[in-house]
Amino acid sequence: MSSPGSEPAQKGPRWTREQLDRRNRRLGHAGIARAQDILARRYRLECADAAFELLKTSSQQSNVKLHTLADAVVRTPAPDQDATSWFAGRGRFSPPRLPGLRLDAGSRHSQGAVLKATLHRLLTITQTPMGNVQLAESGRLHLARHTGLNRYFTDFFAFVETPTTLCAQAASAGVLVNGAGGAVGGYAVQLAKKAGAHVIATASPRSREAVASAGADEVVDHTTTGVTAAVTEPVDLALNLAPVDPAELAALVTLVRPGGVLVNTTVWMPAPGDEERGVRGIDLFVRSDADQLGKLVALIDGGELHVAVTERVALSELPALHARAAEGSVHGKVVVLPPAA
Ligand SMILES: NC(=O)c1ccc[n+]([C@@H]2O[C@H](COP(=O)([O-])OP(=O)(O)OC[C@H]3O[C@@H](n4cnc5c(N)ncnc54)[C@H](OP(=O)(O)O)[C@@H]3O)[C@@H](O)[C@H]2O)c1
């Protein structure tokens, strides 16, 4: 049987109850720990405990579960420094109609009741005595409901963190990076992989190897293959870094699943979306965010994010460097060295 998490190391044929408990506690609290870290940095709090208090108080005041609030803090970009609250506002949506599930009107608001009814219905249709529902959460699977399974199974599969099962592979987000051959693309591929996504990237033969070693699962040669033909499954996020024309940019929207996002950095043309399918188009500009930059530096220092420095040139060569960059023949990051004092 393959391991659903990275630790503890499996020493024998079965993990002990203590090992599973320890791993599940760690994974269960991982989202809260990440939110604590973000809040502590942002509000310059003295310690993680102060950040936990802030989370706890906010969750009680807003009547939102601690895990749900922590997940939202992790997923929502930090607001501007002078903003008075983290979130722009609380969206309230009607629960979907769920024909086929025996639920009274009040229970349609309860995730637990919906999952219970769904599992019951599936087991009735398939005439199966045991089964479970796993939810995709923060790039991993969480066993949310089960019936008829033994304790070892439910503890073992409480969280599936790494893509060791077909379900976990299917649950990982799909990200398309169009124009991954440059410096920004290299970061995007690495960060998307680190977040557990399945990454499809476009690159010419010139940059194919660099993009593959950044971690792309699939590399499409844009000089021979159209990206719309190569991407066969809808992605959650399409990131465009390439100087394509507006029609090609619009075609990328068709590759994004309903509710997904197209992010465009070539902002001389606006990012298209598809309102009908709930696909948002986002124009992304450089934003100097000290917290975010600090995190990236920590990843680089920790060897988790690699910066492709391709050249080092003297300051006196700066005009020539700009001229080459304008021609499009500079790839990767260039370090400009001032004369020695
Ligand atoms: N909005 C902002 O604030 C902001 C800030 C920084 C950068 N940017 C933009 O972000 C983009 C990425 O920056 P970068 O420094 O990584 O640029 P870059 O080095 O020019 O990389 C873009 C890559 O796109 C690939 N490409 C070219 N034509 C393509 C096509 N038709 N289809 C697919 N790929 C194609 C090229 O790679 P291969 O030939 O090797 O495949 C190239 O290396 C640039 O467009 C830049 O202008 C925007």
Side-chain angles (χ1 to χ4, degrees):
M1 187 182 279
S2 49
S3 145
S6 49
E7 62 173 358
Q10 191 176 355
K11 293 197 176 75
R14 282 167 77 93
W15 286 7
T16 65
R17 170 69 50 77
E18 289 74 35
Q19 285 178 316
L20 286 172
D21 279 353
R22 205 166 58 232
R23 186 210 58 179
N24 289 343
R25 263 201 310 278
R26 176 179 66 79
L27 291 173
H29 291 139
I32 292 177
R34 282 172 69 198
Q36 278 176 268
D37 185 45
I38 290 170
L39 293 174
R41 281 165 183 260
R42 178 56 188 259
Y43 296 120
R44 291 180 171 54
L45 303 175
E46 277 171 19
C47 60
D49 285 352
F52 184 78
E53 272 310 307
L54 177 59
L55 264 180
K56 199 173 86 179
T57 311
S58 308
S59 95
Q60 286 166 349
Q61 282 173 356
S62 312
N63 195 22
V64 175
K65 280 185 185 161
L66 195 66
H67 279 90
T68 309
L69 181 62
D71 199 38
V73 167
V74 172
R75 280 189 291 106
T76 313
D80 292 336
Q81 285 293 346
D82 54 358
T84 50
S85 59
W86 193 278
F87 304 105
R90 190 169 172 184
R92 290 194 183 274
F93 304 97
S94 303
R97 288 183 62 252
L98 297 165
L101 294 189
R102 283 211 194 113
L103 281 166
D104 55 56
S107 299
R108 287 197 298 137
H109 291 268
S110 157
Q111 188 192 58
V114 171
L115 292 180
K116 185 176 173 191
T118 306
L119 184 56
H120 179 73
R121 178 101 176 106
L122 275 173
L123 297 183
T124 307
I125 291 170
T126 55
Q127 292 290 294
T128 310
M130 59 177 73
N132 65 76
V133 180
Q134 291 171 300
L135 297 182
E137 256 173 27
S138 312
R140 65 183 186 212
L141 291 178
H142 173 210
L143 188 64
R145 196 89 207 174
H146 57 85
T147 191
L149 299 163
N150 69 27
R151 171 84 188 267
Y152 187 74
F153 183 99
T154 56
D155 281 353
F156 195 87
F157 287 107
F159 295 96
V160 182
E161 196 182 21
T162 47
T164 48
T165 67
L166 288 176
C167 290
Q169 283 169 21
S172 69
V175 172
L176 168 66
V177 183
N178 193 44
V184 180
Y187 300 140
V189 171
Q190 291 178 73
L191 292 171
K193 271 318 288 176
K194 199 172 148 43
H198 177 86
V199 180
I200 307 170
T202 65
S204 68
R206 183 196 68 77
S207 51
R208 180 184 178 88
E209 206 177 308
V211 170
S213 63
D217 298 284
E218 297 174 45
V219 182
V220 177
D221 181 352
H222 62 84
T223 62
T224 57
T225 314
V227 64
T228 44
V231 177
T232 51
E233 292 289 325
V235 294
D236 297 82
L237 162 70
L239 171 64
N240 181 55
L241 305 168
V244 293
D245 64 38
E248 287 175 281
L249 186 61
L252 294 182
V253 178
T254 64
L255 304 177
V256 180
R257 68 158 175 77
V261 188
L262 170 85
V263 177
N264 182 40
T265 57
T266 54
V267 286
W268 59 87
M269 49 188 171
D274 180 347
E275 210 171 306
E276 224 164 74
R277 295 191 306 118
V279 175
R280 285 181 300 140
I282 295 177
D283 293 308
L284 190 71
F285 293 86
V286 161
R287 185 163 61 98
S288 297
D289 180 322
D291 282 349
Q292 261 182 359
L293 290 172
K295 276 191 190 157
L296 292 172
V297 170
L299 289 177
I300 293 165
D301 288 347
E304 292 183 66
L305 183 63
H306 177 67
V307 181
V309 175
T310 48
E311 291 183 65
R312 287 182 164 72
V313 299
L315 187 58
S316 58
E317 291 175 38
L318 197 53
L321 174 65
H322 274 289
R324 282 195 290 130
E327 286 166 9
S329 54
V330 175
H331 301 288
K333 291 290 175 198
V334 180
V335 176
V336 179
L337 303 162

